[in-house]
Structures are given as C-alpha cells and as structure tokens.
Amino acid sequence: MRPRTAAYPSTYGLVLYCRSRALPLTVATLLGTALLAAVCAHQLNASTDPFQRVPLVVLAPMLAAVAIGTSLRQRSAELDRTAARPARPRRLAHLLALTTLAAGTLALAAPGHTREFGAPAMVRNLAGAVGITAAAATVIGPRLSWLPTVAYLGAVSLAGDGVPGRAATIWAWPVQPGPPPAAWAVAAGAFIVGGALYVLRGPWPESPHD
C-alpha cells in the first residue's frame, strides 16, 4: 500500500496543476487553431502565389501563442515557493510541452512551400510569438500577455509585408519566408529570452479573484 500512497499525491498534484492552469482547454484551443489553419491553407491557392499564406503564418502562431500565454498563470506565488517540488522545472516543462504541441500541429497544417511560407515559417513565428507572450506574462501578467504579441505581430503584418532590405528581415521577421537566418535568429532569441524570463521569475502574480 505504501507505493500507492506515495504515488497518489504526485498524481493528484499534477491534476491540480493542469486544472489550475486550464491546460485541457489550452490544448483543445491549440488543436482547434491547427485545424482551422489546415482548412485555410487548403483553401488558399498558394501554388500560384505563396504570398497568400503570409496572413496564415502570422495569425495562426499568434493565436496559438495567446492560448499558451493564458495558461501561464499562477494563483499563489506563496504556494509555489513552499511546494515540495521546485516550480522552475514545472514551468519549463509546461512551456516546452505546449510550444512543441503547437509547433508540430501548425507545421502539419501548412505542408509544402518550405522555401517560402510553409511549415518552417509557421514554426519560426510560433517560437517568436511564444517568447514575446512568455515575457509579457512575467512583466504584466498572463491575463494581458496577449497584448504585446497581438500588437507587434499585427503591426508588422500591416507595415512589414513586402518591405525590402536586410533591416526588414530583422524587425519584420514574422512576414519573412522560411529560410532567412536573421529572421530565425530574432525569433529564436525572443523565445529563449522570454522563456527564460518566465521560467526563472514566474508570471506576474494575479489576484485570486481574477
């Protein structure tokens, strides 16, 4: 009976963690976003004009990142500090698991066009968007973490589409094709910095009544 008693609190704690972060709803949202992206990608005539996919590879990762951001909540910082297991590994596993799920499903939703606006651009944009969202969750809280992500990607999609030049590859990385290394570097840097900030510091504490 002792092994069962020892395993019970761990399993129960995992269930509580998932429920407090609304992870089932987040996973369902990510799968729904990927399904919608797949339907839109199928409807687009990207074989003749791959640039028709630009809104898709910007909006789908943005929506997925917003869903992930809302799950980066923390009801009580004191409980995390006094928990038997450190909070940082859980935060890291939480962020990586959802990002991996979103990246895999969105990549499958946009097959082909690997040199233009296909799976590579989708995965790159997701990584950058999640990084921005994770940083925002740390600074302003998970409830508002969507604001910087939507504002930046929305502004870039309007102002950066078709803008030539090396500088545009850096600041307008969400609307770049898949291969440019500079766009990948910025998106990867955003993911690493934002993810590290969230893992190390945790989300901005929210009111228990929010």
Side-chain angles (χ1 to χ4, degrees), residues 84-191:
R85 295 185 178 183
R88 289 175 180 175
R90 293 201 305 269
R91 293 180 195 140
L92 179 61
H94 178 163
L95 186 65
L96 291 181
L98 291 181
T99 303
T100 301
L101 173 64
T105 53
L106 288 179
L108 293 175
H113 303 281
T114 57
R115 300 286 303 174
E116 291 159 339
F117 296 99
M122 190 79 85
V123 172
R124 179 201 64 211
N125 288 354
L126 174 73
V130 169
I132 297 172
T133 305
T138 307
V139 176
I140 61 177
R143 287 174 60 87
L144 298 177
S145 62
W146 59 273
L147 275 173
T149 307
V150 172
Y152 180 73
L153 269 68
V156 168
S157 64
L158 293 176
D161 190 9
V163 176
R166 189 183 186 92
T169 306
I170 297 175
W171 67 265
W173 52 268
V175 294
Q176 301 301 314
W184 274 95
V186 176
F191 179 75

Side-chain angles (χ1 to χ4, degrees), residues 6-14 17 78-91:
Y8 176 76
S10 176
T11 304
Y12 185 66
L14 179 60
Y17 181 91
E78 186 63 28
L79 287 177
D80 275 359
R81 284 194 295 266
T82 59
R85 295 185 178 183
R88 289 175 180 175
R90 293 201 305 269
R91 293 180 195 140

Side-chain angles (χ1 to χ4, degrees), residues 56-68:
L56 178 65
V57 300
V58 174
L59 292 177
M62 181 181 71
L63 293 176
V66 168
I68 292 174

